[in-house]
Amino acid sequence: QVQLVESGGGSVQAGGSLRLSCAASGYTVNYYCMGWFRQAPGKKREGVAVINYDGRSNYPGSVKGRFTVSVDNGKNTLYLQMNSLKPEDTAVYYCAAGYGLATLEQYAYSDWGQGTQVTVSS
């Protein structure tokens, strides 16, 4: 019943920036947490940014200081601002939502978007 749709992906040069958006629609729910995950070919899906309903966020060391997650409750939209992008950031980025406490692990998220491609060239 809930649909998550990502947008904003594309190709950028190293050092550039992108802002991803995740629009939630369908049945209105109050998520405990929302987040962004990414997966490159041949690699495991990894969490890159999560945020709780109270606004607390968390990031892994690989993106900390470069990525910022935020949410606009009025627009039912989650954002991921990505700065100082590196070639190793290249991956499909997925939006996710769940009802557990914020975590970078996949198990806490029950609803997922289809993903948006981010490609960073050197």
Side-chain angles (χ1 to χ4, degrees):
Q1 312 85 271
V2 176
Q3 185 177 20
L4 302 175
V5 180
E6 302 95 336
S7 63
S11 298
V12 298
Q13 293 181 314
S17 299
L18 282 174
R19 188 173 81 155
L20 305 183
S21 298
C22 171
S25 62
Y27 183 75
T28 302
V29 296
N30 294 318
Y31 289 118
Y32 269 44
C33 59
M34 295 188 74
W36 293 93
F37 292 74
R38 68 185 182 188
Q39 187 167 25
K43 297 182 179 180
K44 295 181 178 180
R45 185 172 297 186
E46 62 175 346
V48 296
V50 298
I51 187 167
N52 269 330
Y53 70 94
D54 61 3
R56 291 184 291 112
S57 59
N58 194 25
Y59 311 85
S62 59
V63 308
K64 191 172 295 183
R66 300 189 297 119
F67 290 12
T68 303
V69 63
S70 61
V71 61
D72 185 332
N73 291 315
K75 296 182 178 180
N76 296 124
T77 302
L78 183 75
Y79 302 96
L80 181 66
Q81 179 66 47
M82 304 184 293
N83 298 324
S84 301
L85 284 163
K86 305 175 180 179
E88 49 262 48
D89 294 320
T90 295
V92 176
Y93 283 70
Y94 299 89
C95 173
Y99 298 93
L101 295 176
T103 175
L104 292 169
E105 299 296 325
Q106 299 179 56
Y107 74 84
Y109 302 88
S110 58
D111 299 314
W112 294 81
Q114 292 298 307
T116 184
Q117 178 71 47
V118 171
T119 301
V120 184
S121 60
S122 60

